Amino acid sequence: MMRKPTIDDVAREAGVSKGLVSLALNGRPGVSAAARERIDAAAAELGWRPSTNARSLAMKRAYSLGLVVRRDPSTFEADPFFAAYVAGVESVLAAHGQVLVLSVVPDHETETQTYRRLIADQRVDGFLLTDLLESDPRIELIAGLGGRAVTLGRPQGESPFPAVTRDYASGIESLLTHLAELGHRRVAHVAGDENMQHARTRLERHREVADRLGLETVVEHTDFSPEQGMDATRRLLARPDRPTAIVYANDPMAFAGIAVAHELGLDLPGELSIAGMDGSDMGRFVYPTLTTLDNDPAGWGRASTQALLDLVERGQAADVPLPPAALIVRASTTAPTATA
Amino acid sequence: MMRKPTIDDVAREAGVSKGLVSLALNGRPGVSAAARERIDAAAAELGWRPSTNARSLAMKRAYSLGLVVRRDPSTFEADPFFAAYVAGVESVLAAHGQVLVLSVVPDHETETQTYRRLIADQRVDGFLLTDLLESDPRIELIAGLGGRAVTLGRPQGESPFPAVTRDYASGIESLLTHLAELGHRRVAHVAGDENMQHARTRLERHREVADRLGLETVVEHTDFSPEQGMDATRRLLARPDRPTAIVYANDPMAFAGIAVAHELGLDLPGELSIAGMDGSDMGRFVYPTLTTLDNDPAGWGRASTQALLDLVERGQAADVPLPPAALIVRASTTAPTATA
DNA sequence: TTGAAAGCGCTACCAA
DNA sequence: TTGGTAGCGCTTTCAA
């Protein structure tokens, strides 16, 4: 079996020095067209692929990006955002010959260690920061270690990293307008973990818009888990002034809400309208099918990866606003049945 | 800012050659206790961590494992196996200072390219092969490229790679016995993609056990997607000899089945018992809560990763049998209501 | 048991 | 525009 061709083989074959091959490979200026041509031909003929390991050593680069997910498996399992997000990440990473290093950790301490280890060992060139907290310690941690990152959402404090953001105001407005037009007056909001950036903005937008539309709002707080989504739903449905519609800050809690409603024997969606906020595909396979906002996780994946690559490779990157989340009306929202 | 210490710094500090530091670092014989001690002390004092990049270049190793998932995002999204599996993988990988490279690809062609690229660029030392097909072309592909892997499940043909397996016979036997004892006589099986190894074994076990217990079986075939799970359920419930219980080859289809039953206005679980087979946590947050088999995805993750590391590092690894899948009885299975 | 030196396959720098 | 050479930080001979 023949050994893998190296840059020396290509240089010899093309009759040039390996320095020149390097320049040509990286599309750098200062290589004559003729030389470039012979180099390309030689590389193609030998089937040469530059060694990532050698480049990494010389460049002090990993040519990979890191994603560290802290979650207990049960919550992670239900997360409809994740899969499509990673697919989006992959699509741009592959085009750049880079890879994604994924880590799933159970707790905060392991999380911190993981970031440290990945940076110290130069396993990644930057991090994708999902599940952003309002005041996220990872930003300081990574910046302090000399690492780079991009945030999904804009953190509260100062951040040296680019942020990818999506406007939820219009989506939530569409959703609540939709409910108001159906005749709902009491619309509850089951909020997520308020330390999390998107939980808080979703709740704030809900409050604002509901006020403007003259809707009565009750809020229940959770940690985004289906478990707490169930509890919140039970509390809401036990109220004397039971809401006729419940908006959940994510889809998994909405599914749990549907389960509770079934358990209580409510007629859905007549006796209770339900909406989620992740645009999950699973929403098409529950009864009734779930009204939600289209969150386009793959779009988040592509945008955040591109921004991070820009930062890593060009030293800077601008914030990226994603198109506003759009309303997806399915069967779980309808006019409330008149109650005696 | 001080530069990262290298092996030379440690050697100098300890007053030895760097070759000796290398031996000590890797726990190799031929280093005196005294030298080893001074080296350890020097390394600790300087806070030295060997450069993964340099080792990779010298050793032609990536110190990372690859997981390539081919799935359209909608199916992936619903996959309760994946998250806990990766968490299990991580737990052993981190202890070995290695990382997981994850790739999510949409189709077979991209999948093949991804394996080729990862091997050619030496980005990973081996692959975890999930979603095993009965006759899986990835085995030949990877073996042909000189790569290594471990399979989750045992493939039909010859395989040079170790296999991690779990016995489902006893779990399926427990499940069907449970249903038989509740009084069910017609138990349908909604099978998954028959090209997939676990889909076929689950179906075969179901048939065997049902025969033995004298249960009548109807089988519907699907591709494991909730979408087809819905269709299959509709067909089953439209039959004149409608089954009183349906066993689904995975949990997402079982959820879809529950949705269809609700849609048709069936009283669950009385009029229809439903069971899944992934032991998903989500099963606790639907109504009725889902009876299923405990698949322990994290266990799969730990075992397959350990086997692959053994193979990569010691050149060989044995097959690993996991404990049999156990029955988890929840609310979705009950005695069938007597029909007039 | 230890040290010196070569090599892994690239990039970067300095002359020419 | 090019070639030669010196790294990047390890591991692995081969002598001593």
Side-chain angles (χ1 to χ4, degrees):
Chain A
M1 175 156 149
M2 238 172 48
R3 77 179 161 67
K4 269 190 67 173
T6 74
I7 196 171
D8 284 298
D9 299 323
V10 177
R12 199 174 316 116
E13 177 81 17
V16 298
S17 72
K18 61 177 186 170
L20 205 58
V21 176
S22 177
L23 289 186
L25 162 67
N26 295 295
R28 302 284 250 311
V31 184
S32 70
R36 190 176 299 268
E37 213 161 288
R38 274 185 299 136
I39 291 169
D40 287 350
E45 184 184 328
L46 297 176
W48 174 66
R49 311 201 39 141
S51 152
T52 311
N53 286 337
R55 300 179 90 160
S56 289
L57 181 57
M59 302 296 286
K60 299 182 187 307
R61 285 256 278 128
Y63 300 101
S64 46
L65 265 29
L67 175 57
V68 179
V69 180
R70 168 166 61 89
R71 235 165 294 181
D72 74 302
S74 65
T75 309
F76 184 43
E77 173 182 308
D79 190 345
F81 179 83
F82 188 79
Y85 175 73
V86 172
V89 169
E90 266 300 307
S91 66
V92 355
L93 233 35
H96 288 251
Q98 316 221 166
V99 299
L100 175 69
V101 168
L102 171 70
S103 207
V104 178
V105 299
D107 52 50
H108 182 66
E109 172 157 355
T110 313
E111 180 185 27
T112 304
Q113 282 173 358
T114 303
Y115 281 109
R116 288 185 182 285
R117 175 167 76 95
L118 259 21
I119 290 179
D121 294 353
Q122 297 193 72
R123 299 301 298 242
V124 303
D125 300 317
F127 294 98
L128 300 162
L129 297 184
T130 61
D131 302 312
L132 198 67
L133 302 182
E134 277 289 355
S135 175
D136 203 308
R138 295 177 297 175
I139 294 176
E140 245 190 61
L141 173 67
I142 294 170
L145 294 170
R148 299 167 180 286
V150 57
T151 58
L152 276 69
R154 198 186 313 283
Q156 206 164 31
E158 280 302 299
S159 166
F161 304 130
V164 178
T165 58
R166 182 188 309 284
D167 167 48
Y168 280 90
S170 62
I172 290 177
E173 171 147 10
S174 305
L175 173 57
L176 292 185
T177 304
H178 163 68
L179 290 172
E181 284 173 351
L182 288 171
H184 293 274
R185 285 293 157 259
R186 266 194 312 284
V187 179
H189 182 93
V190 176
D193 183 342
E194 284 206 76
N195 293 318
M196 299 184 86
Q197 201 261 336
H198 61 302
R200 186 185 291 258
T201 57
R202 287 172 187 190
L203 173 56
E204 283 169 1
R205 293 294 155 278
H206 183 110
R207 281 207 162 107
E208 278 172 32
V209 177
D211 278 359
R212 189 161 3 108
L213 296 175
L215 296 176
E216 200 179 307
T217 295
V218 200
V219 176
E220 286 285 344
H221 297 277
T222 73
D223 63 356
F224 269 131
S225 72
E227 194 128 29
Q228 295 201 11
M230 282 190 139
D231 293 343
T233 307
R234 289 207 177 86
R235 287 194 297 272
L236 286 171
L237 296 181
R239 295 172 66 103
D241 58 340
R242 163 194 290 195
T244 57
I246 306 181
V247 173
Y248 294 82
N250 72 2
D251 284 10
M253 290 199 295
F255 299 143
I258 287 178
V260 168
H262 280 310
E263 176 188 312
L264 296 177
L266 264 63
D267 179 45
L268 296 184
E271 296 189 88
L272 181 68
S273 281
I274 286 180
M277 216 161 278
D278 288 323
S280 73
D281 214 68
M282 250 304 272
R284 301 193 294 123
F285 308 112
V286 291
Y287 181 80
T289 56
L290 187 69
T291 292
T292 184
L293 298 183
D294 181 13
N295 194 23
D296 184 21
W300 280 102
R302 287 189 299 271
S304 53
T305 304
Q306 190 59 61
L308 187 49
L309 283 179
D310 285 352
L311 179 63
V312 168
E313 277 165 4
R314 282 194 266 300
Q316 55 171 300
D319 288 357
V320 185
L322 258 22
L327 177 63
I328 302 177
V329 177
R330 291 199 281 238
S332 67
T333 46
T334 188
T337 20
T339 320
Chain B
M1 173 156 148
M2 239 172 47
R3 78 178 160 66
K4 270 191 67 173
T6 73
I7 196 172
D8 284 297
D9 300 322
V10 177
R12 199 174 313 115
E13 177 81 16
V16 298
S17 73
K18 60 178 187 170
L20 205 56
V21 176
S22 177
L23 289 186
L25 162 68
N26 295 296
R28 302 284 252 308
V31 184
S32 69
R36 191 177 297 268
E37 213 161 289
R38 275 185 297 137
I39 290 170
D40 288 349
E45 185 184 327
L46 297 176
W48 174 64
R49 313 202 34 144
S51 153
T52 310
N53 286 336
R55 298 179 92 158
S56 289
L57 180 57
M59 301 295 287
K60 298 182 187 310
R61 284 256 278 129
Y63 299 100
S64 45
L65 265 28
L67 175 56
V68 179
V69 180
R70 168 167 60 90
R71 235 166 294 182
D72 74 301
S74 64
T75 309
F76 185 43
E77 173 181 311
D79 189 347
F81 180 83
F82 188 79
Y85 175 72
V86 172
V89 169
E90 266 300 307
S91 65
V92 356
L93 234 33
H96 288 251
Q98 316 221 169
V99 299
L100 175 70
V101 168
L102 171 70
S103 206
V104 178
V105 299
D107 53 50
H108 182 67
E109 173 157 354
T110 313
E111 180 185 28
T112 304
Q113 281 174 359
T114 302
Y115 281 109
R116 287 184 183 285
R117 176 166 78 93
L118 258 24
I119 291 180
D121 294 354
Q122 296 193 72
R123 299 301 298 242
V124 302
D125 299 318
F127 295 98
L128 300 162
L129 297 184
T130 61
D131 302 312
L132 198 68
L133 303 183
E134 277 290 354
S135 174
D136 203 309
R138 294 177 297 175
I139 294 176
E140 245 191 61
L141 173 68
I142 294 170
L145 294 170
R148 297 167 182 288
V150 57
T151 57
L152 276 69
R154 197 186 312 283
Q156 206 165 31
E158 280 303 299
S159 165
F161 304 130
V164 178
T165 58
R166 184 190 303 287
D167 167 49
Y168 280 90
S170 61
I172 290 176
E173 171 147 10
S174 305
L175 173 56
L176 292 184
T177 304
H178 163 67
L179 290 172
E181 283 173 353
L182 288 170
H184 292 274
R185 286 293 157 258
R186 266 194 310 285
V187 179
H189 183 94
V190 176
D193 184 341
E194 283 206 79
N195 293 317
M196 299 184 87
Q197 201 262 334
H198 61 302
R200 186 184 289 257
T201 56
R202 287 171 187 190
L203 173 56
E204 283 168 1
R205 293 296 155 278
H206 182 110
R207 280 208 162 108
E208 278 172 31
V209 177
D211 277 1
R212 188 159 5 108
L213 296 175
L215 296 175
E216 198 178 309
T217 295
V218 199
V219 176
E220 286 285 344
H221 297 277
T222 73
D223 63 355
F224 269 130
S225 72
E227 194 130 28
Q228 294 201 9
M230 282 190 140
D231 294 343
T233 307
R234 289 208 176 86
R235 285 194 298 271
L236 287 170
L237 296 181
R239 296 172 66 104
D241 58 341
R242 165 194 288 195
T244 57
I246 306 180
V247 173
Y248 294 82
N250 72 2
D251 284 11
M253 290 199 295
F255 299 143
I258 287 178
V260 167
H262 281 309
E263 177 189 311
L264 296 178
L266 263 63
D267 180 44
L268 296 184
E271 296 189 88
L272 180 69
S273 281
I274 285 182
M277 214 159 281
D278 289 322
S280 73
D281 213 68
M282 249 306 272
R284 301 192 295 123
F285 308 112
V286 291
Y287 181 80
T289 56
L290 187 69
T291 291
T292 183
L293 298 184
D294 182 12
N295 194 24
D296 184 22
W300 280 102
R302 288 189 299 271
S304 53
T305 305
Q306 191 57 62
L308 187 49
L309 284 179
D310 286 351
L311 179 62
V312 167
E313 279 164 4
R314 281 195 267 299
Q316 55 171 301
D319 288 357
V320 185
L322 258 22
L327 177 63
I328 301 176
V329 177
R330 291 199 282 237
S332 67
T333 45
T334 188
T337 21
T339 318

Short mmCIF file of all heavy atoms in Angstrom, two decimals, chain A residues 225-231 233-234 248 250-263 274, chain B residues 282 284-287:
data_model
loop_
_atom_site.label_atom_id
_atom_site.label_comp_id
_atom_site.label_asym_id
_atom_site.label_seq_id
_atom_site.Cartn_x
_atom_site.Cartn_y
_atom_site.Cartn_z
N SER A 225 -38.69 22.60 31.15
CA SER A 225 -38.85 21.15 31.05
C SER A 225 -40.32 20.77 30.88
O SER A 225 -41.20 21.45 31.39
CB SER A 225 -38.29 20.46 32.28
OG SER A 225 -39.14 20.69 33.39
N PRO A 226 -40.59 19.68 30.18
CA PRO A 226 -41.97 19.21 30.03
C PRO A 226 -42.60 18.95 31.40
O PRO A 226 -43.79 19.19 31.60
CB PRO A 226 -41.84 17.93 29.22
CG PRO A 226 -40.41 17.74 28.91
CD PRO A 226 -39.63 18.87 29.44
N GLU A 227 -41.78 18.47 32.31
CA GLU A 227 -42.27 18.19 33.66
C GLU A 227 -42.91 19.44 34.27
O GLU A 227 -44.06 19.43 34.71
CB GLU A 227 -41.08 17.76 34.52
CG GLU A 227 -41.47 17.13 35.81
CD GLU A 227 -40.75 15.79 35.98
OE1 GLU A 227 -39.64 15.64 35.43
OE2 GLU A 227 -41.32 14.90 36.64
N GLN A 228 -42.17 20.52 34.27
CA GLN A 228 -42.70 21.75 34.85
C GLN A 228 -43.79 22.34 33.96
O GLN A 228 -44.69 23.04 34.44
CB GLN A 228 -41.57 22.75 35.09
CG GLN A 228 -40.58 22.25 36.13
CD GLN A 228 -39.77 23.36 36.77
OE1 GLN A 228 -40.05 24.54 36.60
NE2 GLN A 228 -38.76 22.97 37.52
N GLY A 229 -43.71 22.05 32.68
CA GLY A 229 -44.78 22.48 31.78
C GLY A 229 -46.10 21.84 32.19
O GLY A 229 -47.17 22.47 32.15
N MET A 230 -46.04 20.59 32.60
CA MET A 230 -47.24 19.89 33.07
C MET A 230 -47.79 20.55 34.33
O MET A 230 -48.98 20.83 34.43
CB MET A 230 -46.90 18.43 33.40
CG MET A 230 -46.78 17.55 32.19
SD MET A 230 -46.68 15.80 32.70
CE MET A 230 -47.73 15.04 31.45
N ASP A 231 -46.90 20.77 35.28
CA ASP A 231 -47.32 21.38 36.54
C ASP A 231 -47.97 22.73 36.30
O ASP A 231 -49.02 23.06 36.86
CB ASP A 231 -46.11 21.57 37.48
CG ASP A 231 -45.54 20.23 37.93
OD1 ASP A 231 -46.26 19.22 37.78
OD2 ASP A 231 -44.40 20.21 38.41
N THR A 233 -49.37 23.81 33.69
CA THR A 233 -50.67 23.65 33.04
C THR A 233 -51.75 23.27 34.06
O THR A 233 -52.88 23.79 34.03
CB THR A 233 -50.59 22.57 31.94
OG1 THR A 233 -49.51 22.89 31.08
CG2 THR A 233 -51.88 22.50 31.15
N ARG A 234 -51.40 22.36 34.95
CA ARG A 234 -52.36 21.95 35.98
C ARG A 234 -52.79 23.14 36.82
O ARG A 234 -53.97 23.32 37.12
CB ARG A 234 -51.74 20.88 36.89
CG ARG A 234 -51.56 19.56 36.20
CD ARG A 234 -51.58 18.38 37.18
NE ARG A 234 -51.48 17.14 36.41
CZ ARG A 234 -50.33 16.60 36.04
NH1 ARG A 234 -49.18 17.15 36.39
NH2 ARG A 234 -50.32 15.49 35.32
N TYR A 248 -47.05 28.53 25.28
CA TYR A 248 -45.87 27.98 25.95
C TYR A 248 -44.59 28.52 25.32
O TYR A 248 -44.51 28.66 24.10
CB TYR A 248 -45.86 26.45 25.85
CG TYR A 248 -47.00 25.80 26.60
CD1 TYR A 248 -48.27 25.71 26.02
CD2 TYR A 248 -46.83 25.31 27.88
CE1 TYR A 248 -49.33 25.12 26.70
CE2 TYR A 248 -47.88 24.72 28.58
CZ TYR A 248 -49.13 24.64 27.98
OH TYR A 248 -50.17 24.07 28.66
N ASN A 250 -41.88 27.10 24.88
CA ASN A 250 -41.25 26.17 23.93
C ASN A 250 -42.23 25.04 23.59
O ASN A 250 -43.25 24.86 24.27
CB ASN A 250 -39.89 25.65 24.43
CG ASN A 250 -40.02 24.67 25.58
OD1 ASN A 250 -41.11 24.33 26.01
ND2 ASN A 250 -38.88 24.23 26.09
N ASP A 251 -41.91 24.29 22.57
CA ASP A 251 -42.83 23.25 22.11
C ASP A 251 -42.95 22.05 23.05
O ASP A 251 -44.06 21.55 23.27
CB ASP A 251 -42.44 22.78 20.70
CG ASP A 251 -42.85 23.79 19.64
OD1 ASP A 251 -43.24 24.92 20.00
OD2 ASP A 251 -42.78 23.45 18.44
N PRO A 252 -41.84 21.56 23.61
CA PRO A 252 -41.98 20.40 24.49
C PRO A 252 -42.96 20.65 25.65
O PRO A 252 -43.74 19.77 26.01
CB PRO A 252 -40.56 20.20 25.01
CG PRO A 252 -39.69 20.70 23.91
CD PRO A 252 -40.42 21.88 23.35
N MET A 253 -42.95 21.85 26.20
CA MET A 253 -43.92 22.14 27.26
C MET A 253 -45.34 22.18 26.69
O MET A 253 -46.29 21.79 27.36
CB MET A 253 -43.58 23.47 27.93
CG MET A 253 -42.32 23.42 28.77
SD MET A 253 -42.22 24.77 29.97
CE MET A 253 -42.12 26.19 28.89
N ALA A 254 -45.46 22.64 25.47
CA ALA A 254 -46.79 22.65 24.85
C ALA A 254 -47.32 21.23 24.69
O ALA A 254 -48.50 20.95 24.94
CB ALA A 254 -46.73 23.36 23.50
N PHE A 255 -46.43 20.31 24.31
CA PHE A 255 -46.85 18.91 24.20
C PHE A 255 -47.31 18.39 25.56
O PHE A 255 -48.33 17.71 25.68
CB PHE A 255 -45.70 18.02 23.68
CG PHE A 255 -45.21 18.43 22.32
CD1 PHE A 255 -43.85 18.36 22.02
CD2 PHE A 255 -46.08 18.88 21.35
CE1 PHE A 255 -43.39 18.73 20.76
CE2 PHE A 255 -45.63 19.25 20.08
CZ PHE A 255 -44.28 19.18 19.79
N ALA A 256 -46.54 18.72 26.57
CA ALA A 256 -46.89 18.29 27.92
C ALA A 256 -48.23 18.90 28.32
O ALA A 256 -49.06 18.25 28.98
CB ALA A 256 -45.80 18.69 28.90
N GLY A 257 -48.45 20.14 27.91
CA GLY A 257 -49.72 20.79 28.18
C GLY A 257 -50.89 20.07 27.52
O GLY A 257 -51.95 19.87 28.12
N ILE A 258 -50.68 19.65 26.30
CA ILE A 258 -51.71 18.89 25.59
C ILE A 258 -52.02 17.61 26.35
O ILE A 258 -53.19 17.23 26.50
CB ILE A 258 -51.23 18.56 24.15
CG1 ILE A 258 -51.26 19.83 23.29
CG2 ILE A 258 -52.10 17.47 23.54
CD1 ILE A 258 -50.77 19.63 21.86
N ALA A 259 -50.97 16.95 26.85
CA ALA A 259 -51.18 15.72 27.60
C ALA A 259 -52.03 15.96 28.83
O ALA A 259 -52.97 15.20 29.12
CB ALA A 259 -49.82 15.12 28.00
N VAL A 260 -51.73 17.03 29.55
CA VAL A 260 -52.50 17.34 30.75
C VAL A 260 -53.97 17.59 30.40
O VAL A 260 -54.88 17.12 31.08
CB VAL A 260 -51.90 18.56 31.48
CG1 VAL A 260 -52.85 19.08 32.55
CG2 VAL A 260 -50.56 18.20 32.09
N ALA A 261 -54.17 18.34 29.35
CA ALA A 261 -55.54 18.64 28.93
C ALA A 261 -56.30 17.37 28.59
O ALA A 261 -57.46 17.20 28.98
CB ALA A 261 -55.52 19.60 27.74
N HIS A 262 -55.65 16.46 27.90
CA HIS A 262 -56.29 15.17 27.58
C HIS A 262 -56.61 14.43 28.86
O HIS A 262 -57.69 13.87 29.03
CB HIS A 262 -55.35 14.29 26.74
CG HIS A 262 -55.34 14.66 25.28
ND1 HIS A 262 -56.47 14.82 24.52
CD2 HIS A 262 -54.29 14.87 24.43
CE1 HIS A 262 -56.14 15.13 23.28
NE2 HIS A 262 -54.81 15.18 23.19
N GLU A 263 -55.65 14.44 29.76
CA GLU A 263 -55.81 13.72 31.02
C GLU A 263 -57.02 14.24 31.78
O GLU A 263 -57.75 13.48 32.41
CB GLU A 263 -54.53 13.91 31.84
CG GLU A 263 -54.54 13.31 33.21
CD GLU A 263 -53.29 13.75 33.99
OE1 GLU A 263 -52.19 13.65 33.42
OE2 GLU A 263 -53.44 14.20 35.14
N ILE A 274 -53.94 25.94 22.45
CA ILE A 274 -52.56 25.77 22.89
C ILE A 274 -51.60 26.18 21.78
O ILE A 274 -51.83 25.86 20.61
CB ILE A 274 -52.31 24.28 23.30
CG1 ILE A 274 -53.00 24.01 24.64
CG2 ILE A 274 -50.83 23.96 23.36
CD1 ILE A 274 -52.84 22.61 25.16
N MET B 282 -39.66 11.22 27.05
CA MET B 282 -40.85 11.91 26.55
C MET B 282 -42.12 11.10 26.86
O MET B 282 -43.20 11.65 27.03
CB MET B 282 -40.74 12.07 25.02
CG MET B 282 -40.54 13.47 24.50
SD MET B 282 -41.75 14.66 25.06
CE MET B 282 -43.01 14.46 23.77
N ARG B 284 -43.11 9.95 29.37
CA ARG B 284 -43.73 10.31 30.64
C ARG B 284 -44.59 11.57 30.52
O ARG B 284 -45.30 11.94 31.44
CB ARG B 284 -42.65 10.54 31.70
CG ARG B 284 -41.77 9.32 31.93
CD ARG B 284 -40.91 9.47 33.17
NE ARG B 284 -39.95 10.53 33.06
CZ ARG B 284 -39.86 11.55 33.92
NH1 ARG B 284 -40.70 11.65 34.94
NH2 ARG B 284 -38.94 12.48 33.75
N PHE B 285 -44.49 12.24 29.39
CA PHE B 285 -45.18 13.52 29.24
C PHE B 285 -46.22 13.52 28.14
O PHE B 285 -46.52 14.55 27.54
CB PHE B 285 -44.15 14.64 29.01
CG PHE B 285 -43.07 14.63 30.04
CD1 PHE B 285 -41.77 14.30 29.72
CD2 PHE B 285 -43.38 14.89 31.38
CE1 PHE B 285 -40.78 14.26 30.68
CE2 PHE B 285 -42.40 14.86 32.36
CZ PHE B 285 -41.09 14.54 32.01
N VAL B 286 -46.74 12.35 27.85
CA VAL B 286 -47.86 12.27 26.92
C VAL B 286 -49.02 11.66 27.69
O VAL B 286 -48.86 11.16 28.80
CB VAL B 286 -47.52 11.38 25.70
CG1 VAL B 286 -46.47 12.07 24.84
CG2 VAL B 286 -47.03 10.01 26.13
N TYR B 287 -50.21 11.71 27.09
CA TYR B 287 -51.35 11.08 27.75
C TYR B 287 -51.97 10.06 26.82
O TYR B 287 -52.33 10.40 25.71
CB TYR B 287 -52.42 12.10 28.14
CG TYR B 287 -53.57 11.42 28.84
CD1 TYR B 287 -53.47 11.09 30.17
CD2 TYR B 287 -54.72 11.06 28.14
CE1 TYR B 287 -54.50 10.41 30.81
CE2 TYR B 287 -55.75 10.40 28.77
CZ TYR B 287 -55.64 10.06 30.10
OH TYR B 287 -56.63 9.38 30.72
#
